[in-house]
Amino acid sequence: MLFNSLEFIFIFLPLTVLSYFIINRLFYSWGVVIYVAASLFFYAWWNPIYLSLLMSSILFNYWIGFFLSKNSMISIVRKNLLVLGIAVNLGLIGYFKYTNFFLNNLNAILNTNFSLYEIILPLGISFYTFQQIAYLVDSYRGETKEYNLLHYTLFVSFFPQLIAGPIVHHKEIIPQFTNKYLNRLSSKNLAVGLSFFLLGLFKKVLLADSLVAGIANQTFDAAAAGSGLSFLDAWLGALAYTFQLYFDFSGYSDMAIGAARMFGIQLPINFNSPYKAVSISDFWRRWHITLSNFLRDYLYIPLGGSRKGELRRNINLIITMLLGGLWHGAGWTFVVWGGLHGVYLVLNHKWRCLRKSLGHDLQKTSWWSQFLGFMMTFFAVVVAWVFFRAENMSASFTMLEAMTGKNGISLYLNILSENLITLIGKLMFLSIIVWCLPNSHQLVSIYFQLNSNSNSYKYTDIVSRLKNYLLQSNIFRGIIFGLGLFIVVKIMIKAPESEFLYFKF
């Protein structure tokens, strides 16, 4: 399908940028209208039928939010409106995403044979549903302003982040639509946007798809088929998927941020070097940041957060992560993945409490303590990713049995067909990128002196020297940019069609 390929984005984005600035030059203040038209066309290209679903959802939530923002309404009426709005949104995502999952489990328990026709999951439904639930809750709290329907429609349907995030908040995005500079062509916005877009494209095409996707797919397919994985097969496959998912999803987020920035819209940063985390709570402050913030603000805190004692906090953490796992997909593997991270977070808090009781200063940790925390966190994350990726629970256990040496600790490959040195070389190369180099936002900040309210970065001497001796050269930057674009396009031409992993969520 053309929509699921990068070629469509490569064609659609430049045409939209060009059309936007040409039309807006002729018809000033038409910017938002052009944005909305482009976004709806972008979504309709996949399946026009589901455009009506998106528009119905937008209209319903806009009017519910409009009435919720009226404090003059009777309190019980406003509360019932909020319940209705959330119920309809959850019912919508529940029908499309979880109906077959529910029926399959019901059939397994009751030994029945209930079935429905195949339900196709609309692209982006998880993301735009969460954004609108947050909008309704904030409207009920009196935290929204008088947004017009056109701005609200663009907030929900803005094409760079509609399909797979980042999950944006109305406070972050809608006020930008009224910025008087939004409709003006900016060389800096284009340069920053193209830099982010190219970095994301490079991550997706060259790193995720070309280097490790084949390794991960071959390993997990073998696990699903019940083939005999060796110890080395399983670990190489698990690590390959760990890197594939990061470069694929963070690559999409970078492309979304870059595409939006070309139009002058600043989307929130969604990744901050998550595999450099030294604890599991640190990991969730760095991985899929917008989802983590949503789960914290609209689920964990309303459940009581940490305000009602340690036991209640632990229960709230596990419930939040279980639902976060189920949000990603209708399967027990996702539930287990979320539950594992809930347990990880509980253990992390207990460890911090133990250290406090022993009189340790949590703000001061030794290098070896941080390194140990980093190793344990990364190991825990890799194990959890096995459930996230596996076709079913049986395949998950097949992978984990091989990883724990149940099939014997063999340093030979049974499944993977590539040369062992080549496989290790690929993973080492990606490890260097992940752990030794600055991330996308840091790299772009070096060039353009970007400021972020949510992230502050301290650059190492190595990065500063790169900036001083190499990166200030326009010729050098032009060569690197052109070479990178050439490599990515060349690989795209030869590579098979590949969708982003988070499209399925």
Side-chain angles (χ1 to χ4, degrees), residues 248-265:
D248 186 283
F249 188 31
S250 70
Y252 180 90
S253 294
D254 288 346
M255 292 173 70
I257 290 168
R261 188 59 181 265
M262 292 181 205
F263 295 97
I265 301 295

Side-chain angles (χ1 to χ4, degrees), residues 203-439:
K203 286 181 181 180
K204 164 64 177 173
V205 176
L206 186 62
L207 302 183
D209 288 351
S210 299
L211 288 187
V212 286
I215 305 170
N217 292 340
Q218 193 174 358
T219 305
F220 281 92
D221 288 347
S227 302
L229 293 169
S230 70
F231 177 81
L232 202 56
D233 282 324
W235 272 106
L236 289 175
L239 289 171
Y241 181 71
T242 297
F243 290 124
Q244 181 199 4
L245 182 63
Y246 170 70
F247 286 115
D248 186 283
F249 188 31
S250 70
Y252 180 90
S253 294
D254 288 346
M255 292 173 70
I257 290 168
R261 188 59 181 265
M262 292 181 205
F263 295 97
I265 301 295
Q266 296 189 42
L267 297 182
I269 301 300
N270 211 23
F271 288 88
N272 182 16
S273 301
Y275 292 157
K276 293 179 182 177
V278 295
S279 69
I280 202 66
S281 58
D282 186 26
F283 172 81
W284 279 104
R285 285 191 292 267
R286 295 166 173 264
W287 174 274
H288 204 347
I289 296 169
T290 56
L291 175 63
S292 299
N293 291 343
F294 179 92
L295 293 175
R296 179 197 64 204
D297 295 340
Y298 297 98
L299 188 56
Y300 175 68
I301 292 177
L303 284 172
S306 58
R307 302 187 303 274
K308 299 184 179 181
E310 183 180 354
L311 177 61
R312 182 64 181 271
R313 179 196 64 193
N314 295 341
I315 293 173
N316 292 341
L317 280 172
I318 291 176
I319 290 174
T320 299
M321 296 312 297
L322 283 171
L323 293 176
L326 194 59
W327 174 84
H328 280 86
W332 287 111
T333 53
F334 294 104
V335 175
V336 172
W337 172 79
L340 268 177
H341 274 278
V343 173
Y344 291 164
L345 288 168
V346 169
L347 293 175
N348 180 77
H349 281 291
K350 286 189 174 295
W351 173 248
R352 288 176 60 86
C353 290
L354 176 62
R355 289 189 61 196
K356 281 184 179 179
S357 67
L358 296 175
H360 293 179
D361 185 352
L362 300 183
Q363 302 301 318
K364 297 179 180 179
T365 54
S366 60
W367 68 267
W368 61 266
S369 177
Q370 286 194 327
F371 180 75
L372 184 61
F374 154 73
M375 291 296 293
M376 293 179 65
T377 300
F378 185 70
F379 173 79
V381 168
V382 171
V383 170
W385 283 143
V386 170
F387 289 96
F388 193 85
R389 170 61 178 84
E391 295 291 329
N392 48 52
M393 292 299 295
S394 176
S396 302
F397 291 130
T398 298
M399 280 287 294
L400 291 176
E401 287 173 357
M403 291 169 69
T404 54
K406 185 176 181 180
N407 301 336
I409 302 179
S410 170
L411 299 182
Y412 295 97
L413 300 175
N414 290 345
I415 299 298
L416 295 172
S417 55
E418 265 189 275
N419 179 273
L420 178 59
I421 302 299
T422 303
L423 293 174
I424 294 176
K426 288 180 177 180
L427 295 178
M428 289 295 294
F429 174 67
L430 296 180
S431 299
I432 291 171
I433 294 175
V434 166
W435 291 316
C436 301
L437 297 181
N439 58 42

